[in-house]
Amino acid sequence: MLECRATLKRLLATISLTVALIPLCFSYAIGQSIDKKKMAEQVKAEFLHSWNGYKQYCWGHDDLKPISKTCRDWYGTTILMTPVDSLDSLYLLGFKKEADETREYIVKNLSFDKDITVQNFEITIRELGGLLSAYQITNDKRLLDLADDLGRRLLPVFDSPTGMPYRFVNLRTGKTRDPISNPAETGTLLIEFGTLSKLTGKPVYFDKAKRALVETYKRRSPIGLVGENINVETGKWTNTDSHLSGGIDSYYEYLLKSSILFDDAECQSMWLDSISKINTYLADENPKMAELNRTGATTAGDLWYGHADMNTGKRTATTTGALDAFFPAVLALDGDINRAKMLQDSLFKMWQFNGVEPEEYDYKTGKTGNAGYPLRPEIVESTYYLYHYTKDPKYLAMGKTMFDDLVKYCRTDVAYAGLKSVVTKEKTDYMHSFWFAETLKYFYLLFAPEKTLDLNKVVFNTEAHPIKKTWK
Ligand code: DMJ
C-alpha cells in the first residue's frame, strides 16, 4: 500500500513537472521561428506611422490626441515634449534625416524661459534625459546648452528643509509648490542631474540630486522599506504603503543604475540593502513553483511582488500592474536572472489574461482592477533585457505577441492610442510621448541587430534615454 502511494506521488510529480514545462518548450519552439529582421522593420513602420500622425496634426505641440486628432500642451504652451522625448529613438531606429530636422527644430524653437509651473520629475526624465542622450548621440552642443538651462531652472526644487525636491517649480520665477511627494519623484533624478554635472563640469546638479536620493533612503523604516508619500518639508511619511508600483518604482531603479553609471559605492550599498528588503517583504512566491525554480526545473512562475506596510512588513494588497513590470529588467541588470525570469513569466501571464496588460491586476484573485493601458513600455523593456542576458528566443516570441496585440488593439488611422480598458479594448484619446521614447524603442532594440546599441555600455534613464559614461 505504502509503495503504491509513493509510486503514485512520483507519477503525479512527473506529470506536474511536464505540465509546467509545456509552455516553456512551446514558446521556445515559437521563438525559434521569429524573424528578427522582419519584426524590426515592422516596429520601424509602426514608429513612422505614429510619428507621421503626430507631425501631421500636432507638429510643434507636446502630444497628439490620436482619436480627435487634436493636440495637448501640458502647460498651455509647448515645451516640445514629443520631439524631445523621441529624438534619440529617431536616431536609434535609423531615421537620420527626420532626426536631424527634428533636432534643428528643437534648438531653434525650444525655450524654457516660460512662466509655467512644471512637474520636476516628468520634465527631468523626459526633457532633460532626452536632451542629454541626444547630445551624446549627435555631439550638438546646443542640446547640452538647453539641458544646462533647463537644469538651472529646475534647481530651486531642492531648496526644501530636507533637500528632497518639491514636486513643481516655475521655470521663470523658481517658485516651488507641493511638498507632499513620493520616492519616485524625490529619487529619480540622479541619472539626469548627475550626467548634466559630468558633461558641464558643474557639480551642483549631481550633489543636489544625490542628496535627495540619500535623504529618501535615510527615511526608510526600521525594516528597510520606503512608503508611498513623504512630506519633503517635515521628512515624515504621509502614506506607509510599500510596493514597486507607481510612486516608488524608479527610486529603486535609480539606486542600482546610479551605482553603475557613477561607480557610486554609496548608491550600491543603498541598493543592496533595499533589494534584500524588497525580496523579504514584497516578494510573493507560490512555494511549490519556487521549489521547481530552485531545482532549475522551470521558470514558469509564480513570483510576484505585492504591497506591504513599510513599518510592519504586513501584506496589505496582492496587486501589481503595468508599471511594476520594470522590475524584471532591474533584477536582470543586477544579475538576478532567476528571479527576473520568474517575474517576467508571471507578468506575461498578466498580459495574456486580457490580451494587453492593465494598470492594476490582483495576482491572487486573477481580477483586473484599473483596466487602463496608456501604451506603457515597462514589460517590453524587461523582455528586451531578458533577451539580451539570456538569448532565449522565448523572449522574442513574447515580444512578438505583445507587439501584435498592440497593433491589433491600439492602432488608429493616424497613430496609436492607449486603451481606456484592456477588457473592452475601448481606446482613449491620448498618445504619450513615452510611446516613442520607450515602448517602440524597446521593441526595436529587442529585434534589431546587437550592434544597434550595446546595453553593456549604456545606462537607460527611466524614460529609456540611453546615457553613455563618457567621463572617468
Ligand atoms: C514613463 O514616464 C517612465 O517610464 C516612468 O518611470 C514611469 N511611467 C512612464 C511609462 O509608463
Side-chain angles (χ1 to χ4, degrees):
M1 186 61 183
L2 265 180
E3 206 178 304
C4 191
R5 216 183 272 165
T7 315
L8 195 65
K9 230 175 157 188
R10 267 200 302 277
L11 191 67
L12 282 176
T14 316
I15 291 172
S16 60
L17 182 62
T18 315
V19 169
L21 285 175
I22 288 172
L24 202 68
C25 302
F26 185 60
S27 60
Y28 186 79
I30 301 172
Q32 290 288 54
S33 63
I34 302 281
D35 182 341
K36 283 177 70 182
K37 202 165 163 220
K38 191 169 151 212
M39 284 307 299
E41 284 309 316
Q42 274 183 31
V43 175
K44 282 180 74 167
E46 295 313 306
F47 188 103
L48 213 51
H49 171 70
S50 312
W51 180 251
N52 286 337
Y54 163 75
K55 272 183 76 178
Q56 185 181 350
Y57 295 98
C58 292
W59 182 243
H61 289 281
D62 282 345
D63 294 324
L64 165 69
K65 295 166 85 173
I67 311 281
S68 60
K69 296 163 187 154
T70 57
C71 315
R72 177 188 172 219
D73 290 318
W74 285 38
Y75 303 106
T77 170
T78 185
I79 43 172
L80 300 182
M81 194 71 81
T82 291
V84 173
D85 219 5
S86 307
L87 188 51
D88 59 16
S89 293
L90 284 167
Y91 281 110
L92 278 175
L93 270 72
F95 300 119
K96 171 125 176 30
K97 185 167 168 284
E98 202 65 39
D100 285 341
E101 284 169 13
T102 305
R103 173 161 55 102
E104 275 311 310
Y105 186 87
I106 289 171
V107 294
K108 292 214 172 85
N109 294 282
L110 183 56
S111 163
F112 295 115
D113 184 17
K114 291 194 158 127
D115 185 13
I116 53 174
T117 298
V118 302
Q119 190 181 353
N120 178 52
F121 166 79
E122 293 290 356
I123 301 306
T124 297
I125 65 171
R126 297 186 197 218
E127 298 251 336
L128 194 50
L131 289 168
L132 289 169
S133 147
Y135 163 67
Q136 288 195 316
I137 290 172
T138 60
N139 242 339
D140 185 337
K141 175 79 171 31
R142 296 170 301 174
L143 296 172
L144 183 60
D145 291 342
L146 276 168
D148 194 11
D149 180 52
L150 176 59
R152 185 178 55 76
R153 291 171 187 278
L154 294 175
L155 275 181
V157 291
F158 296 105
D159 296 338
S160 75
T162 63
M164 290 187 287
Y166 288 94
R167 294 187 63 223
F168 286 87
V169 61
N170 185 296
L171 288 183
R172 186 169 288 160
T173 65
K175 191 169 180 316
T176 52
R177 68 167 164 83
D178 285 39
I180 307 290
S181 192
N182 53 72
E185 296 199 43
T186 60
T188 311
L189 305 164
L190 186 51
I191 292 179
E192 299 81 0
F193 279 82
T195 299
L196 189 56
S197 274
K198 301 293 179 190
L199 298 179
T200 60
K202 299 177 185 172
V204 61
Y205 298 122
F206 181 97
D207 295 346
K208 298 251 183 197
K210 171 84 188 283
R211 176 165 176 226
L213 185 60
V214 172
E215 290 295 329
T216 309
Y217 172 76
K218 269 176 34 190
R219 287 171 174 82
R220 69 197 181 283
S221 69
I223 60 167
L225 294 175
V226 294
E228 192 175 288
N229 291 114
I230 190 159
N231 184 323
V232 304
E233 288 176 343
T234 64
K236 298 270 180 274
W237 294 99
T238 59
N239 178 338
T240 61
D241 192 22
S242 195
H243 51 77
L244 297 179
S245 200
I248 301 183
D249 47 8
S250 45
Y251 156 73
Y252 289 124
E253 180 185 345
Y254 273 37
L255 286 178
L256 174 64
K257 289 184 174 177
S258 299
S259 80
I260 297 169
L261 185 61
F262 303 114
D263 277 323
D264 191 301
E266 195 179 9
C267 287
Q268 193 196 19
S269 111
M270 293 191 291
W271 162 253
L272 289 174
D273 175 46
S274 302
I275 185 61
S276 85
K277 304 302 165 27
I278 290 170
N279 282 327
T280 305
Y281 296 107
L282 301 183
D284 216 345
E285 210 173 339
N286 173 336
K288 261 195 221 120
M289 297 309 274
E291 187 46 39
L292 287 174
N293 276 302
R294 259 187 285 281
T295 59
T298 176
T299 57
D302 256 356
L303 173 66
W304 301 92
Y305 287 79
H307 291 230
D309 182 83
M310 67 178 277
N311 294 309
T312 62
K314 205 170 156 286
R315 175 82 50 222
T316 49
T318 50
T319 48
T320 181
L323 282 166
D324 304 53
F326 78 105
F327 208 59
V330 169
L331 288 167
L333 181 65
D334 191 36
D336 191 348
I337 297 291
N338 204 29
R339 276 201 185 85
K341 283 170 160 175
M342 285 195 275
L343 181 59
Q344 177 74 5
D345 284 347
S346 302
L347 292 164
F348 186 54
K349 275 192 260 171
M350 170 177 83
W351 179 285
Q352 288 178 303
F353 191 65
N354 291 295
V356 179
E357 63 182 359
E359 287 289 79
E360 194 185 24
Y361 175 76
D362 190 317
Y363 57 81
K364 274 275 146 68
T365 63
K367 289 211 173 95
T368 300
N370 176 351
Y373 172 71
L375 298 172
R376 289 207 191 280
E378 286 79 4
I379 196 164
V380 187
E381 172 185 5
S382 288
T383 311
Y384 160 60
Y385 273 68
L386 273 161
Y387 181 66
H388 171 83
Y389 287 114
T390 66
K391 293 292 172 299
D392 186 338
K394 83 181 227 181
Y395 297 111
L396 296 177
M398 261 185 207
K400 179 172 172 12
T401 301
M402 294 189 282
F403 185 74
D404 290 348
D405 288 337
L406 294 186
V407 174
K408 187 166 164 196
Y409 298 121
C410 299
R411 196 176 202 274
T412 75
D413 54 339
V414 300
Y416 271 74
L419 297 178
K420 228 174 239 162
S421 163
V422 296
V423 181
T424 64
K425 310 291 186 300
E426 188 193 346
K427 292 188 178 76
T428 163
D429 192 13
Y430 206 61
M431 179 173 71
H432 268 283
S433 60
F434 54 68
W435 171 245
F436 296 108
E438 300 192 72
T439 317
L440 288 169
K441 183 187 286 152
Y442 286 131
F443 269 127
Y444 181 70
L445 291 174
L446 170 65
F447 300 118
E450 287 278 308
K451 63 174 180 349
T452 307
L453 181 125
D454 186 349
L455 181 53
N456 304 320
K457 297 217 171 90
V458 299
V459 168
F460 282 98
N461 87 334
T462 195
E463 187 78 1
H465 296 303
I467 300 292
K468 268 181 290 187
K469 185 180 174 130
T470 53
W471 53 88
K472 286 272 168 248

